[in-house]
């Protein structure tokens, strides 16, 4: 799969959730390349902004979109890596804060 094809797929997915892909396409395509690289390495598209173990079961929470994305988007206007965002985020109406890592909390 190409990054362009993955973009089309994820754009439709984002729209189905009421989200958007980040308007910074150069940034997005780097993330997409990372997702595809992780799929090549591990057999699944783990978040390129987190360290995957290669064990699908152990990494289930960080397979894109990660299980933390909805909460991150609701609270910060974007997911941890910034691939998925709200319309308000893309329009610059939400301050661009760093999204804290939720993965290891409570583990």
């Amino acid at each position: 799969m190409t990054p362009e094809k993955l973009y089309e797929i994820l754009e439709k997915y984002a729209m189905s959730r009421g989200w958007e892909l980040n308007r910074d396409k150069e940034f997005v395509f780097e993330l997409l390349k990372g997702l595809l690289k992780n799929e090549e390495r591990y057999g699944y598209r783990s978040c390129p902004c987190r360290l995957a173990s290669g064990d699908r079961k152990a990494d289930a929470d960080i397979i894109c979109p990660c299980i933390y994305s909805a909460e991150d988007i609701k609270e910060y206007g974007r997911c941890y890596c910034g691939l998925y965002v709200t319309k308000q985020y893309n329009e610059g109406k939400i301050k661009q804060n760093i999204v804290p890592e939720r993965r290891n909390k409570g583990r």
Side-chain angles (χ1 to χ4, degrees), residues 13 17 19 65-80 84 86 102:
Y13 173 77
R17 299 289 312 260
W19 304 338
C66 72
I67 65 168
Y68 315 102
S69 60
E71 191 173 343
D72 288 344
I73 293 166
K74 184 177 178 182
E75 190 171 340
Y76 297 97
R78 66 176 216 144
C79 67
Y80 181 72
Y84 297 106
T86 62
R102 297 180 194 264

Side-chain angles (χ1 to χ4, degrees), residues 10-25:
L10 297 185
E11 184 175 46
K12 288 177 186 173
Y13 173 77
M15 288 174 54
S16 77
R17 299 289 312 260
W19 304 338
E20 297 181 358
L21 295 182
N22 195 309
R23 70 178 178 196
D24 183 344
K25 283 197 174 181

Side-chain angles (χ1 to χ4, degrees), residues 13-85:
Y13 173 77
M15 288 174 54
S16 77
R17 299 289 312 260
W19 304 338
E20 297 181 358
L21 295 182
N22 195 309
R23 70 178 178 196
D24 183 344
K25 283 197 174 181
E26 185 177 334
F27 173 72
V28 167
F29 274 88
E30 288 304 311
L31 291 172
L32 298 180
K33 289 174 192 173
L35 285 169
L36 292 171
K37 185 66 171 176
N38 284 344
E39 184 174 36
E40 184 181 303
R41 283 182 185 142
Y42 308 122
Y44 52 91
R45 293 185 201 132
S46 63
C47 176
C49 300
R50 294 178 165 111
L51 185 59
S53 68
D55 178 338
R56 186 182 187 100
K57 187 174 179 182
D59 292 339
D61 63 325
I62 61 168
I63 294 174
C64 186
C66 72
I67 65 168
Y68 315 102
S69 60
E71 191 173 343
D72 288 344
I73 293 166
K74 184 177 178 182
E75 190 171 340
Y76 297 97
R78 66 176 216 144
C79 67
Y80 181 72
C81 68
L83 176 62
Y84 297 106
V85 301

